[in-house]
Amino acid sequence: MNAAVRAVVRMGIHCGSDVYVIQEGYQGLIEGGDKIHRTKWFDVSGIIELGGTVIGSARCMGFKEREGRRTACLNLIKRSITHLCVIGGDGSLTVEQKALYKKLHIVGIVGSIDNDFCGTDMTIGADSALHRIVDCVDSIATTAHSHQRTFVLEVMGRNCGYLALCAALSCCADWVLIPESPPEEGWEDQMCERLNRAREYGSRLNTIIVAEGAIDRNGNPISADYVKKICTERLNQDTRVTVLGHIQRGGRPSAFDRILGTRMGCEAVLALLDSTDETEAAVIALKGNQMVRIPMMEAVAETQEVGKAIAAKNFDRAIELRGRTFRR
Ligand code: F6P
C-alpha cells in the first residue's frame, strides 16, 4: 500500500494540491490532531519497498457510529479538506461511509492480499502474498521431497480462494480446497486416489493447499487438520500441516504490487480532481491492464454479495461474481 500512498501524495502535489496524510485510517480521522498532517514530496521517500503501510491501519468501530462519522467530517472541514482517497479492503470502502460521500469527493483504492474485490483484476498486496506463499511451498517441498512427506498448507484469503488457487497452480499442488467451489461429496476418496497416483508415478511428495475459508457443500468448514487426518488414516502418509498465517502479509512488496499501487494512486488523484458534485464515489480498478474507475457502491455491494452467496450455498453465483475477476 505504500506505493499507493507515495503516488497519491506525489501526484497530488504535482497537480498543485495540498496533500494531507491520515494516520491509522478512520480511527485517525476521528481522533484528528496530529493524526492528520500535511505531507511533502520527500516525506514519502524510501517507502515503496516497505510492506504494509507506513501511515498505519486500524479496524475502527467508532466509524460505524453516526457520531464518529460526524467527528471525522468535522476534522476534515476544519482543515478545508475536500477530497479523500481511501485505501483499504471492502470494509474500508463499505456503504457505512455513505455519510462522508455526500460531503466529500471520494475515491477508493483496494488494498487486500485476498484479491476478493469485485470489479478489479487485482487488489494491491495479492501478488506479494502469492509470492510469499509460493516461496514457502518451495521451501517446504525440500523437506517433503527428502522425507517423502505430504504437506497440507493453509493459506489466507477469508472467503476468497484466489490465493489458494493460484498457489496451487504455481506449485503444482495435488489438491486444492477453496470456498467458492466446495468439493462434491466423496471428495476425500478422489483426493486419496489422486495422491496415490502421484506417488505411483514416482512423486516423492504430495502438496495440498487449503484456503482458510474452505468449506464442504453443506457449508461446514474443511480444516487442514481434517485433510491431514484423511492422508494419515487412509493412506498412511507421513503428513504435516503448515498454517502460513501472517507471514503471507509481510515482507517486501513485489514489483507488480509497487507498480499497481503507483498506477492506482496516480489515477485516484486524477479521478478526484475530475470529480464534480454530481460524480459518484469511484474505486480505481485494474481491468485488462488498464486503470479504470468503477462505481464504489456497486463494487462493494457485489463483493459483499459473494460472501452472502457462499453462506447461502449458492456457489454458482459466487463463482459467477468471482469469475469476473478471474476468468478461464
Ligand atoms: O483480509 C486480509 C486477511 O489477511 C485475511 O486473509 C485474513 O483472514 C485476515 O485478514 C486476518 O486478519 P487479522 O490480521 O485481523 O487476523
Side-chain angles (χ1 to χ4, degrees):
M1 287 196 214
N2 287 322
V5 171
R6 175 180 175 274
V8 170
V9 169
R10 292 198 169 173
M11 189 66 171
I13 294 170
H14 174 76
C15 294
S17 308
D18 292 340
V19 183
Y20 289 77
V21 146
I22 301 161
Q23 295 285 150
E24 318 305 338
Y26 289 120
Q27 190 58 46
L29 199 52
I30 295 174
E31 282 177 35
D34 60 2
K35 294 275 183 215
I36 307 174
H37 52 86
R38 177 98 183 267
T39 305
K40 304 268 170 40
W41 187 273
F42 289 107
D43 293 340
V44 289
S45 294
I47 64 167
I48 199 168
E49 65 272 35
L50 306 176
T53 157
V54 293
I55 62 173
S57 178
R59 304 210 191 281
C60 176
M61 298 315 285
F63 206 78
K64 291 188 188 290
E65 310 297 327
R66 192 168 177 275
E67 196 46 41
R69 293 197 294 269
R70 216 176 141 264
T71 312
C73 281
L74 277 175
N75 279 331
L76 293 173
I77 291 164
K78 269 197 269 179
R79 292 167 178 81
S80 306
I81 295 173
T82 49
H83 295 67
L84 185 67
C85 175
V86 180
I87 311 175
D90 68 307
S92 307
L93 306 177
T94 211
V95 271
E96 278 143 7
Q97 272 80 275
K98 239 179 187 167
L100 277 188
Y101 304 161
K102 286 187 195 138
K103 299 182 171 56
L104 285 165
H105 299 282
I106 189 158
V107 74
I109 296 178
V110 196
S112 165
I113 64 160
D114 304 335
N115 203 23
D116 58 349
F117 197 82
C118 290
T120 182
D121 293 345
M122 285 296 273
T123 55
I124 301 172
D127 185 67
S128 302
L130 183 58
H131 272 275
R132 203 82 59 236
I133 295 168
V134 169
D135 240 17
C136 291
V137 180
D138 288 350
S139 302
I140 284 167
T142 310
T143 300
H145 197 267
S146 308
H147 294 260
Q148 301 198 51
R149 279 186 185 158
T150 293
F151 269 90
V152 185
L153 274 106
E154 185 191 292
V155 304
M156 278 186 171
R158 284 186 207 274
N159 63 14
C160 182
Y162 176 86
L163 287 176
L165 189 60
C166 291
L169 285 171
S170 311
C171 303
C172 306
D174 296 281
W175 204 260
V176 61
L177 292 156
I178 60 169
E180 299 90 337
S181 179
E184 298 294 341
E185 215 165 296
W187 64 272
E188 292 94 335
D189 297 334
Q190 288 172 26
M191 181 183 76
C192 289
E193 198 191 311
R194 173 68 177 81
L195 299 182
N196 260 339
R197 207 172 344 124
R199 293 291 173 119
E200 278 163 22
Y201 284 143
S203 175
R204 291 176 58 84
L205 76 163
N206 287 130
T207 312
I208 300 156
I209 311 274
V210 183
E212 68 174 341
I215 48 174
D216 64 20
R217 291 203 89 78
N218 296 316
N220 302 313
I222 300 177
S223 69
D225 284 331
Y226 175 69
V227 178
K228 173 187 170 175
K229 192 166 171 274
I230 302 290
C231 300
T232 313
E233 289 179 2
R234 297 202 194 177
L235 300 174
N236 200 26
Q237 288 185 347
D238 188 5
T239 308
R240 298 287 193 276
V241 168
T242 301
V243 178
L244 291 183
H246 289 79
I247 284 174
Q248 295 156 87
R249 288 208 333 211
R252 287 178 177 265
S254 67
F256 178 90
D257 269 330
R258 297 180 199 197
I259 294 163
L260 183 65
T262 301
R263 291 178 72 191
M264 286 184 164
C266 289
E267 183 64 21
V269 171
L270 296 178
L272 282 175
L273 295 180
D274 281 349
S275 66
T276 65
D277 287 347
E278 277 69 51
T279 311
E280 269 189 59
V283 176
I284 305 304
L286 178 74
K287 272 193 182 169
N289 210 22
Q290 301 296 313
M291 286 295 120
V292 295
R293 303 167 192 179
I294 59 172
M296 184 182 289
M297 293 298 183
E298 278 170 37
V300 168
E302 232 177 47
T303 302
Q304 293 179 346
E305 200 193 328
V306 183
K308 288 179 194 149
I310 293 174
K313 298 182 211 99
N314 187 352
F315 302 115
D316 289 343
R317 179 70 180 144
I319 288 173
E320 189 196 333
L321 290 164
R322 285 272 192 257
R324 292 180 194 165
T325 306
F326 196 55
R327 276 176 226 276
R328 218 181 288 166

PDB file of all heavy atoms in Angstrom, residues 159-171:
ATOM      1  N   ASN A 159     -13.059 -15.412   2.626  1.00  0.00           N
ATOM      2  CA  ASN A 159     -13.936 -16.299   1.845  1.00  0.00           C
ATOM      3  C   ASN A 159     -13.552 -16.328   0.360  1.00  0.00           C
ATOM      4  O   ASN A 159     -14.337 -16.697  -0.497  1.00  0.00           O
ATOM      5  CB  ASN A 159     -15.410 -15.909   2.015  1.00  0.00           C
ATOM      6  CG  ASN A 159     -15.686 -14.511   1.473  1.00  0.00           C
ATOM      7  OD1 ASN A 159     -14.865 -13.940   0.756  1.00  0.00           O
ATOM      8  ND2 ASN A 159     -16.834 -13.961   1.808  1.00  0.00           N
ATOM      9  N   CYS A 160     -12.303 -15.943   0.082  1.00  0.00           N
ATOM     10  CA  CYS A 160     -11.865 -15.898  -1.310  1.00  0.00           C
ATOM     11  C   CYS A 160     -10.769 -16.945  -1.547  1.00  0.00           C
ATOM     12  O   CYS A 160      -9.811 -17.035  -0.785  1.00  0.00           O
ATOM     13  CB  CYS A 160     -11.342 -14.499  -1.636  1.00  0.00           C
ATOM     14  SG  CYS A 160     -10.836 -14.339  -3.346  1.00  0.00           S
ATOM     15  N   GLY A 161     -10.913 -17.697  -2.624  1.00  0.00           N
ATOM     16  CA  GLY A 161      -9.976 -18.786  -2.892  1.00  0.00           C
ATOM     17  C   GLY A 161      -8.831 -18.403  -3.808  1.00  0.00           C
ATOM     18  O   GLY A 161      -8.041 -19.259  -4.207  1.00  0.00           O
ATOM     19  N   TYR A 162      -8.716 -17.106  -4.133  1.00  0.00           N
ATOM     20  CA  TYR A 162      -7.697 -16.694  -5.117  1.00  0.00           C
ATOM     21  C   TYR A 162      -6.282 -17.135  -4.726  1.00  0.00           C
ATOM     22  O   TYR A 162      -5.571 -17.741  -5.530  1.00  0.00           O
ATOM     23  CB  TYR A 162      -7.745 -15.170  -5.306  1.00  0.00           C
ATOM     24  CG  TYR A 162      -6.650 -14.676  -6.232  1.00  0.00           C
ATOM     25  CD1 TYR A 162      -6.823 -14.658  -7.608  1.00  0.00           C
ATOM     26  CD2 TYR A 162      -5.417 -14.255  -5.722  1.00  0.00           C
ATOM     27  CE1 TYR A 162      -5.811 -14.241  -8.456  1.00  0.00           C
ATOM     28  CE2 TYR A 162      -4.402 -13.839  -6.563  1.00  0.00           C
ATOM     29  CZ  TYR A 162      -4.613 -13.828  -7.924  1.00  0.00           C
ATOM     30  OH  TYR A 162      -3.596 -13.429  -8.759  1.00  0.00           O
ATOM     31  N   LEU A 163      -5.884 -16.821  -3.500  1.00  0.00           N
ATOM     32  CA  LEU A 163      -4.503 -17.150  -3.101  1.00  0.00           C
ATOM     33  C   LEU A 163      -4.275 -18.657  -3.121  1.00  0.00           C
ATOM     34  O   LEU A 163      -3.233 -19.135  -3.593  1.00  0.00           O
ATOM     35  CB  LEU A 163      -4.196 -16.587  -1.704  1.00  0.00           C
ATOM     36  CG  LEU A 163      -4.001 -15.073  -1.609  1.00  0.00           C
ATOM     37  CD1 LEU A 163      -3.803 -14.658  -0.156  1.00  0.00           C
ATOM     38  CD2 LEU A 163      -2.829 -14.599  -2.456  1.00  0.00           C
ATOM     39  N   ALA A 164      -5.252 -19.411  -2.626  1.00  0.00           N
ATOM     40  CA  ALA A 164      -5.109 -20.872  -2.592  1.00  0.00           C
ATOM     41  C   ALA A 164      -5.028 -21.435  -4.012  1.00  0.00           C
ATOM     42  O   ALA A 164      -4.157 -22.257  -4.333  1.00  0.00           O
ATOM     43  CB  ALA A 164      -6.276 -21.498  -1.838  1.00  0.00           C
ATOM     44  N   LEU A 165      -5.923 -20.962  -4.851  1.00  0.00           N
ATOM     45  CA  LEU A 165      -5.986 -21.485  -6.221  1.00  0.00           C
ATOM     46  C   LEU A 165      -4.705 -21.161  -7.001  1.00  0.00           C
ATOM     47  O   LEU A 165      -4.118 -22.037  -7.656  1.00  0.00           O
ATOM     48  CB  LEU A 165      -7.204 -20.867  -6.926  1.00  0.00           C
ATOM     49  CG  LEU A 165      -7.592 -21.425  -8.274  1.00  0.00           C
ATOM     50  CD1 LEU A 165      -7.919 -22.900  -8.169  1.00  0.00           C
ATOM     51  CD2 LEU A 165      -8.819 -20.670  -8.814  1.00  0.00           C
ATOM     52  N   CYS A 166      -4.282 -19.916  -6.906  1.00  0.00           N
ATOM     53  CA  CYS A 166      -3.084 -19.519  -7.662  1.00  0.00           C
ATOM     54  C   CYS A 166      -1.824 -20.157  -7.074  1.00  0.00           C
ATOM     55  O   CYS A 166      -0.900 -20.498  -7.822  1.00  0.00           O
ATOM     56  CB  CYS A 166      -2.953 -18.002  -7.713  1.00  0.00           C
ATOM     57  SG  CYS A 166      -4.232 -17.306  -8.736  1.00  0.00           S
ATOM     58  N   ALA A 167      -1.800 -20.332  -5.757  1.00  0.00           N
ATOM     59  CA  ALA A 167      -0.651 -21.008  -5.153  1.00  0.00           C
ATOM     60  C   ALA A 167      -0.614 -22.450  -5.641  1.00  0.00           C
ATOM     61  O   ALA A 167       0.449 -22.981  -5.990  1.00  0.00           O
ATOM     62  CB  ALA A 167      -0.763 -20.963  -3.631  1.00  0.00           C
ATOM     63  N   ALA A 168      -1.778 -23.090  -5.688  1.00  0.00           N
ATOM     64  CA  ALA A 168      -1.836 -24.485  -6.139  1.00  0.00           C
ATOM     65  C   ALA A 168      -1.356 -24.610  -7.581  1.00  0.00           C
ATOM     66  O   ALA A 168      -0.598 -25.530  -7.927  1.00  0.00           O
ATOM     67  CB  ALA A 168      -3.262 -25.012  -6.005  1.00  0.00           C
ATOM     68  N   LEU A 169      -1.773 -23.661  -8.415  1.00  0.00           N
ATOM     69  CA  LEU A 169      -1.326 -23.689  -9.820  1.00  0.00           C
ATOM     70  C   LEU A 169       0.179 -23.467  -9.919  1.00  0.00           C
ATOM     71  O   LEU A 169       0.873 -24.141 -10.684  1.00  0.00           O
ATOM     72  CB  LEU A 169      -2.041 -22.593 -10.630  1.00  0.00           C
ATOM     73  CG  LEU A 169      -3.501 -22.846 -10.985  1.00  0.00           C
ATOM     74  CD1 LEU A 169      -4.116 -21.586 -11.591  1.00  0.00           C
ATOM     75  CD2 LEU A 169      -3.631 -23.998 -11.967  1.00  0.00           C
ATOM     76  N   SER A 170       0.661 -22.516  -9.133  1.00  0.00           N
ATOM     77  CA  SER A 170       2.091 -22.158  -9.226  1.00  0.00           C
ATOM     78  C   SER A 170       2.993 -23.252  -8.679  1.00  0.00           C
ATOM     79  O   SER A 170       4.168 -23.318  -9.042  1.00  0.00           O
ATOM     80  CB  SER A 170       2.381 -20.881  -8.434  1.00  0.00           C
ATOM     81  OG  SER A 170       1.468 -19.892  -8.755  1.00  0.00           O
ATOM     82  N   CYS A 171       2.472 -24.052  -7.753  1.00  0.00           N
ATOM     83  CA  CYS A 171       3.319 -25.048  -7.089  1.00  0.00           C
ATOM     84  C   CYS A 171       2.970 -26.469  -7.514  1.00  0.00           C
ATOM     85  O   CYS A 171       3.465 -27.423  -6.894  1.00  0.00           O
ATOM     86  CB  CYS A 171       3.174 -24.936  -5.581  1.00  0.00           C
ATOM     87  SG  CYS A 171       3.566 -23.313  -4.975  1.00  0.00           S
TER      88      CYS A 171
END
